[in-house]
Amino acid sequence: MNRGFYTILAAQFFSALADNALLFAAIALLSTLHAPAWHTPVLQQFFVFAYIVLAPFVGPFADSLPKGRVMFVANAVKLAGCVAMLLGMHPLFAYAIILGAILGGIMLGPEFADYMLKHGEVPGVDLWIDTVPEVAIVCILTLYFVAAIINLYIPKVAIDHRLPKRNPLFILQDFWHSLRLLWRDPLGQVSLAVTTLFWGAGATLRLIVLTWAALALKFDLERATQLTAVVAVGIALGSILAAKYVSLPRAVRVLPVGILMGLVVVSMIFVTDWRVAIGLLVLVGAMGGYFVVPMNALLQHRGHLLMGAGHSIAVQNFNENLSILVLLGAYALMIKAELSMNSIIVAFGLFIAATMASITVKHWHDQDQG
């Protein structure tokens, strides 16, 4: 726990804080532009598309440079996206932690925007900032700037994994080999399948909660945004329980919890009271945290044994972001087809339950002792 560790932790905190707040600020900006409802899931699709396309190259790139330099470049790209939105670029193109969701909701509140518009002006300078989403984006830009500055103070360490070749074709072949290797390993397959489903479902659920809260609970965007943080609280609780009670050699035994989580999601259609909603969303998050933490630990373990941490993380990020892209695309199509929110919730919950049931049947005995 030296100074370098806390510097990295601080940089990641400000970056993650801004990431979560930026999503909701961009959604609010879409609203001011009177964009169709299906643009909201497409917004996040544009963001993850870069992760998918660049996944084969990002892993080797991250392994070949100091941690601080990699994080600085990442934050610089995000900072440029914020500036692009302020200059008028459509959020869909510019967009390509718990506290972040809460902060995003606060920033979208009229009281915060009014205060910043009144007290944040620079004499003699016209910043063309006159809407609530624009105020939020300026604040988020500041967070990215702080994170970027902290990145510069992360101590440099020796580079362990330099690229043996810089040929793009070699990098693609190496990534494809790692991808196949992890999917063909039984324990790698189950852990990768579950984490892939979890992140795709989680990203979609976050947007579903925003719309559901407006329709069923009569929440405005500010309160609906903060409600999404409740799921993250549940995930944290479930993660703590999993860390305490689930051992790595018995990780697959948590799979039935995923089936139950899908069925609990379906029960959202019967909820109209915000207090019940909070309890339900905490339960959904806790179930998700309880089954994904052992699976993620198993995936990291198998990836380290089969190919090394850097390649394993690149493969994991590729699959998880591909899942987000596909599930958000399905959600966007359902909205465009004007399906009711209840129908979408039922379809989404049953999809999670059925997929987890299939994974459970196939992999239940993968960790049985000889």
Side-chain angles (χ1 to χ4, degrees):
M1 295 295 183
N2 55 22
R3 183 177 63 86
F5 171 80
Y6 288 110
T7 306
I8 293 175
L9 192 64
Q12 291 179 330
F13 168 77
F14 281 103
S15 181
L17 187 68
D19 286 349
N20 283 277
L22 179 59
L23 171 63
F24 300 112
I27 290 172
L29 191 57
L30 283 176
S31 179
T32 65
L33 296 174
H34 305 291
W38 60 270
H39 274 198
T40 298
V42 172
L43 173 72
Q44 202 164 355
Q45 281 188 303
F46 272 68
F47 184 73
V48 302
F49 183 73
Y51 281 85
I52 296 170
V53 173
L54 298 177
F57 306 98
V58 170
F61 169 76
D63 282 342
S64 64
L65 290 175
K67 179 72 171 178
R69 183 70 58 82
V70 174
M71 294 173 66
F72 181 86
V73 172
N75 284 321
V77 172
K78 297 170 186 177
L79 190 148
C82 289
V83 173
M85 274 192 273
L86 290 176
L87 294 179
M89 181 178 286
H90 196 284
L92 290 183
F93 298 104
Y95 192 64
I97 75 189
I98 300 174
L99 187 57
I102 297 173
L103 183 65
I106 293 173
M107 287 180 178
L108 295 176
E111 297 85 1
F112 178 84
D114 289 344
Y115 178 85
M116 292 301 297
L117 289 172
K118 289 178 181 178
H119 299 88
E121 295 181 355
V122 179
V125 179
D126 183 9
L127 296 178
W128 71 87
I129 307 299
D130 52 13
T131 68
V132 172
E134 288 174 344
V135 170
I137 291 172
V138 169
C139 295
I140 293 165
L141 191 152
T142 304
L143 291 176
Y144 280 130
F145 182 76
V146 171
I149 295 300
I150 296 175
N151 293 154
L152 299 177
Y153 291 91
I154 296 176
K156 293 183 179 180
V157 296
I159 306 301
D160 295 329
H161 304 286
R162 292 192 181 276
L163 285 174
K165 296 181 182 179
R166 295 183 180 274
N167 185 338
L169 182 60
F170 170 81
I171 295 174
L172 288 172
Q173 290 175 337
D174 185 56
F175 177 77
W176 177 246
H177 171 73
S178 299
L179 182 71
R180 294 178 64 191
L181 192 62
L182 201 53
W183 273 114
R184 287 182 173 180
D185 177 72
L187 293 179
Q189 183 182 111
V190 61
S191 55
L192 188 55
V194 172
T195 56
T196 295
L197 173 65
F198 175 83
W199 287 106
T204 309
L205 181 63
R206 179 161 55 175
L207 299 185
I208 287 176
V209 168
L210 288 179
T211 305
W212 171 73
L215 296 175
L217 308 178
K218 311 304 179 186
F219 276 13
D220 56 18
L221 182 59
E222 178 185 359
R223 290 199 295 168
T225 296
Q226 295 176 1
L227 187 63
T228 63
V230 172
V231 180
V233 171
I235 291 175
L237 295 175
S239 301
I240 294 171
L241 292 174
K244 184 174 182 179
Y245 295 111
V246 182
S247 63
L248 188 62
R250 306 294 290 173
V252 296
R253 297 304 179 186
V254 302
L255 294 178
V257 178
I259 303 173
L260 185 59
M261 187 189 80
L263 298 178
V264 173
V265 168
V266 173
S267 70
M268 288 171 58
I269 64 175
F270 303 109
V271 176
T272 57
D273 185 279
W274 66 268
R275 288 156 295 200
V276 177
I278 288 176
L280 185 67
L281 292 178
V282 168
L283 179 60
V284 169
M287 289 178 174
Y290 189 79
F291 77 76
V292 81
V293 166
M295 288 293 102
N296 192 64
L298 180 61
L299 178 59
Q300 297 297 322
H301 175 67
R302 297 304 299 170
H304 176 72
L305 293 177
L306 293 171
M307 65 196 68
H311 286 72
S312 173
I313 292 172
V315 170
Q316 182 178 359
N317 286 340
F318 173 81
N319 283 276
E320 289 172 357
N321 284 286
L322 187 61
S323 173
I324 293 172
L325 187 73
V326 171
L327 291 184
L328 287 177
Y331 178 51
L333 289 175
M334 287 189 284
I335 292 177
K336 196 170 184 179
E338 299 183 349
L339 294 181
S340 70
M341 183 49 56
N342 282 351
S343 298
I344 293 175
I345 290 173
V346 170
F348 179 69
L350 291 180
F351 168 76
I352 294 174
T355 304
M356 288 300 301
S358 176
I359 295 173
T360 301
V361 170
K362 184 175 182 180
H363 294 282
W364 183 251
H365 297 289
D366 281 359
Q367 289 185 303
D368 286 355
Q369 298 298 321

